[in-house]
Amino acid sequence: MKDNIDFDALAAFRQDLHRHPELGFEEHRTAAAVAARLRALGLEVTESIAETGIVGTLRGGQGPSVGLRADMDALAMSETSGRAYASEVPGRMHACGHDGHTAMLLGAAEVLAADPPAGTVHFIFQPAEEGRGGARRMVEDGLFEQFPCDHVFGLHNMPGIPCDRMAVVAGPQLASSDSWRVSFRGIGSHGAKPHQGRDAVTASGQFLAALQTIPGRVVDPLQPAIVSACAVSGGDMNALNVIPAEVQIGGTARAFSPEVRDQLETEIGRLAHGIAASMGVEADYTFIRRIPPVVNDAGATAIALAAAEEVSTGVDTGFPPSTAGDDFAFFSAEAPGAYVWLGNGPARDGALHHNPGYDFNDDALPTGVAFWVAVARKALGA
C-alpha cells in the first residue's frame, strides 16, 4: 500500500488541518476539505449531517456494509508545541489528534476507492466529539437509517504505544461521561452570627468530604466508578464576614456499565439530599447524561483484531480501559462496534492528550491507513 499512497502529501494535509483547528459544529473549513477529497475519489458525498458532519460512501456491489468513523473537531486551548505548523487560531488547537484521525480515514478512502471491496463502505467524518454531542446529533439526524451498517469501527491514537503497534480489546473501553450539579440553599447570615441562618457552606463541605464514600463504600468495589467534584461556587472573597445563602457544586461521574452509571446518578442525589436534610438546608440536584460507556462487541472486536494483527508489528489484547469518554458509544449502540487504539509513539515532552504541547505523530499514518483498509475488507468478508 505504501506504493499506492503519498504519505508525505497526507501528512501535509494533516498539518494543514492542524494549522486551522475548528471547534465542534464549527468545522466548516475541515468539512469542505474532506468533502472535496472524497468527491475527487469518486465517492458519493453527503454533507451537513449534524451541521458539519460528512459521509462518503463507496459502493462495491452487493454485500454487507461497514461504517468507519473519524472525528474532526479541535479543543478550546492555546497551543505551545512550537511546531512549524502550530495552530494559527488563538485559543484553538488539535490537542487530541483528530486532525490525524481525519487524514488517516481519507487515506483509507483513497486506497479502497482504487480497489473497492464487495459491499458498501461508509466513511463517517463526525463533528463535535469533544463534549458537544456530535455523534448523538448524527444518529438523531438519521445517520444509520440513511447509511445502514452491519458493523461500525472507531480508532483513536494513543501516546506511549509505538506507532506501528495497536491495542484491541473486547468489552469496556471507555467510561460513561456524565455531569452533575448540586446547589445547597440555606439562609444567609452574618459570619459572626451563624445561628441566625442556615449554613450552606458547611453543608457543601460535608457533601464534598462524603462524596468519595460512593465509589468507596456504596458501589461494588470490583466495579470501576469515579465521582469527582470539579467546580465550587459560593460567597464572595471580598465579603469574608458573610455566610452565603447558596453554594453550587458541579462535577463528573464515570462508569463502565449501565448499572453503575444508574447507581452513581441515584447515590450522588441521595447523599446531597441527606446532608441537606441533616443540616436544615435544601438541595437541588441535577444529573446530566452525556455519553454512555464504549463497550466493544465481541464479533466486531474479532474483526478489528484480525485486521490489526495483519497490519501492525504487534497488538496488545490486554490494554486497560480508559476513564475518558468518547461519543462513539452512540454509534456502537446502533450497530455492533469496536473501538481500537493506534500507537502515537512516545509522549513528546510529556505531552499527552489535551495537553497544550501535544501533536499527532505523522509516523502513525501508514499503520492507521492500513488498519482502516484491512478492517473494511474483513468486515465485508473479503
Side-chain angles (χ1 to χ4, degrees):
M1 182 171 55
K2 291 182 179 180
D3 295 331
N4 299 331
I5 188 167
D6 184 343
F7 283 103
D8 289 337
L10 191 62
F13 177 83
R14 196 282 298 182
Q15 292 170 16
D16 179 74
L17 295 182
H18 194 90
R19 283 193 184 93
H20 302 93
E22 298 172 299
L23 300 183
F25 299 126
E26 300 173 12
E27 308 95 330
H28 300 290
R29 182 184 186 277
T30 303
V34 167
R37 290 179 74 97
L38 293 172
R39 285 197 178 93
L41 296 172
L43 273 63
E44 301 173 17
V45 178
T46 304
E47 300 180 72
S48 303
I49 305 173
E51 296 187 38
T52 49
I54 303 286
V55 175
T57 298
L58 175 65
R59 302 189 190 278
Q62 294 296 319
S65 60
V66 62
L68 311 179
R69 174 268 208 169
D71 36 21
M72 300 187 294
D73 56 325
L75 284 152
M77 299 172 56
S78 295
E79 183 165 359
T80 62
S81 71
R83 301 288 189 272
Y85 49 83
S87 171
E88 297 177 0
V89 184
R92 306 283 188 269
M93 74 167 289
H94 272 292
C96 207
H98 297 183
D99 50 344
H101 300 169
T102 299
M104 287 187 291
L105 191 55
L106 284 170
E110 181 179 342
V111 175
L112 289 167
D115 183 17
T120 301
V121 184
H122 299 300
F123 301 92
I124 303 169
F125 293 87
Q126 179 202 318
E129 185 278 327
E130 295 288 0
R132 294 191 173 189
R136 185 204 294 263
R137 284 281 303 279
M138 291 190 88
V139 170
E140 290 173 349
D141 277 7
L143 176 68
F144 287 93
E145 287 77 18
Q146 191 172 357
F147 308 100
C149 298
D150 295 293
H151 292 94
V152 63
F153 296 92
L155 176 153
H156 205 290
N157 74 90
M158 178 55 70
I161 300 176
C163 289
D164 56 357
R165 295 180 63 86
M166 299 186 69
V168 181
V169 186
Q173 292 306 294
L174 293 142
S176 58
S177 178
D178 300 316
S179 301
W180 54 267
R181 296 174 182 268
V182 175
S183 293
F184 289 102
R185 292 184 291 105
I187 300 174
S189 67
H190 195 297
K193 302 176 182 180
H195 61 288
Q196 294 181 349
R198 293 291 183 180
D199 191 349
V201 174
T202 300
S204 66
Q206 292 198 15
F207 171 79
L208 289 170
L211 195 60
Q212 297 312 315
T213 63
I214 295 174
R217 289 294 181 269
V218 180
V219 175
D220 183 341
L222 298 179
Q223 297 293 324
I226 293 175
V227 180
S228 293
C230 302
V232 180
S233 176
D236 189 326
M237 293 301 290
N238 293 313
L240 299 183
N241 60 351
V242 176
I243 298 175
E246 183 173 356
V247 176
Q248 298 180 338
I249 303 172
T252 188
R254 308 286 169 122
F256 288 105
S257 73
E259 294 77 17
V260 173
R261 189 187 192 195
D262 292 343
Q263 192 174 17
L264 294 180
E265 178 176 6
T266 298
E267 295 301 333
I268 296 169
R270 188 197 309 274
L271 181 67
H273 289 298
I275 287 176
S278 71
M279 297 292 296
V281 302
E282 296 181 356
D284 296 326
Y285 170 60
T286 304
F287 191 89
I288 305 100
R289 290 189 171 233
R290 296 176 55 248
I291 303 173
V294 173
V295 182
N296 280 354
D297 172 79
T301 303
I303 295 170
L305 178 59
E309 288 176 335
E310 180 178 294
V311 303
S312 70
T313 61
V315 183
D316 186 347
T317 58
F319 194 72
S322 169
T323 51
D326 193 305
D327 62 2
F328 177 79
F330 289 104
F331 291 168
S332 58
E334 300 294 322
Y339 184 102
V340 306
W341 304 101
L342 169 68
N344 198 58
R348 300 178 187 176
D349 301 320
L352 299 170
H353 298 139
H354 295 214
N355 181 290
Y358 170 87
D359 184 29
F360 179 84
N361 191 337
D362 290 321
D363 290 342
L365 290 172
T367 303
V369 171
F371 170 78
W372 278 133
V373 171
V375 81
R377 293 193 182 282
K378 290 183 183 300
L380 297 177

